[in-house]
Every structure is written in C-alpha cells, then in structure tokens.
Amino acid sequence: DLATSVGWTEPQWRKLSYVINRESRCGIRAFNKSDPNGGSRGLMQINGYWCKPAKYNPTGWLQAKGILQTCDDLYNPEVNLRAGLAMWNYSQDRNGCGWSPWATRCN
C-alpha cells in the first residue's frame, strides 16, 4: 500500500518487491557502508550519490527534487520509496530502463 501511495504502479510491484528483498532484505534500517558513494540506505539501498552535494546539485539531487533533506531521511520507508521512484523515473527517461540504478534487467 505504501508503494502505491507514493506512486509506484501495479505493473512495477513485482520488480520493486524483488529489488527491496535483494537490496535490504526488507530492512528499513539497512546500511551498506562498503558502497563507495557514501553508503547505501534503507529499503531500496539508495546510495549517497543521490543525496550528497555535487557540482550540478549543490544540495544533492534528491534534495533538489524536494524529496528529502539529508541522506538519513532514506531510512524512512515512505521517503525511500519516493526517492526510488524519482530515480526510476530519471533512469527511465534518460536511458529507457528505470531499474538500471539497481543493476536489474528491464525485461
């Protein structure tokens, strides 16, 4: 229900469930400190690349989108799912494969 409330669609549920299970074993406090981009956080294991300040996004990409304020907000399941959907949409628009940030096939 939470995924639907933030915008994930029914056709995406199966792959979304797979990604969440593979990435965090459904653990909302999951943290992968070995991720070279500042660690990966939460259900979808979103890495720091998306929430750390960068040249073109001085506050962070997800902050610029108004989705969160700090990387630690990714431990909130609703924020994590919103952030994941924003990343999915970006990847889908940019390269035709919304699942590529999670190294998952689109077909």
Side-chain angles (χ1 to χ4, degrees):
D1 291 338
L2 184 58
T4 301
S5 74
V6 302
W8 289 96
T9 64
E10 188 171 347
Q12 296 169 315
W13 291 350
R14 183 173 181 196
K15 185 83 69 154
L16 176 62
S17 177
Y18 168 79
V19 166
I20 290 171
N21 187 55
R22 184 188 75 191
E23 294 290 340
S24 70
R25 296 291 183 247
C26 303
I28 61 174
R29 300 291 305 168
F31 179 71
N32 176 3
K33 66 182 177 184
S34 65
D35 184 304
N37 292 302
S40 296
R41 293 163 178 82
L43 290 172
M44 297 187 75
Q45 288 293 281
I46 297 170
N47 71 42
Y49 169 83
W50 299 95
C51 59
K52 297 279 186 183
K55 181 179 179 180
Y56 296 107
N57 290 299
T59 61
W61 191 84
L62 290 167
Q63 288 87 331
K65 298 283 183 192
I67 295 170
L68 52 73
Q69 293 185 4
T70 72
C71 291
D72 284 345
D73 293 342
L74 291 167
Y75 293 118
N76 176 316
E78 182 177 344
V79 172
N80 194 277
L81 289 168
R82 282 186 197 281
L85 183 59
M87 293 165 51
W88 189 94
N89 286 326
Y90 175 80
S91 183
Q92 185 68 25
D93 291 344
R94 189 158 182 128
N95 62 39
C97 180
W99 298 109
S100 63
W102 296 276
T104 301
R105 286 188 242 159
C106 283
N107 51 7

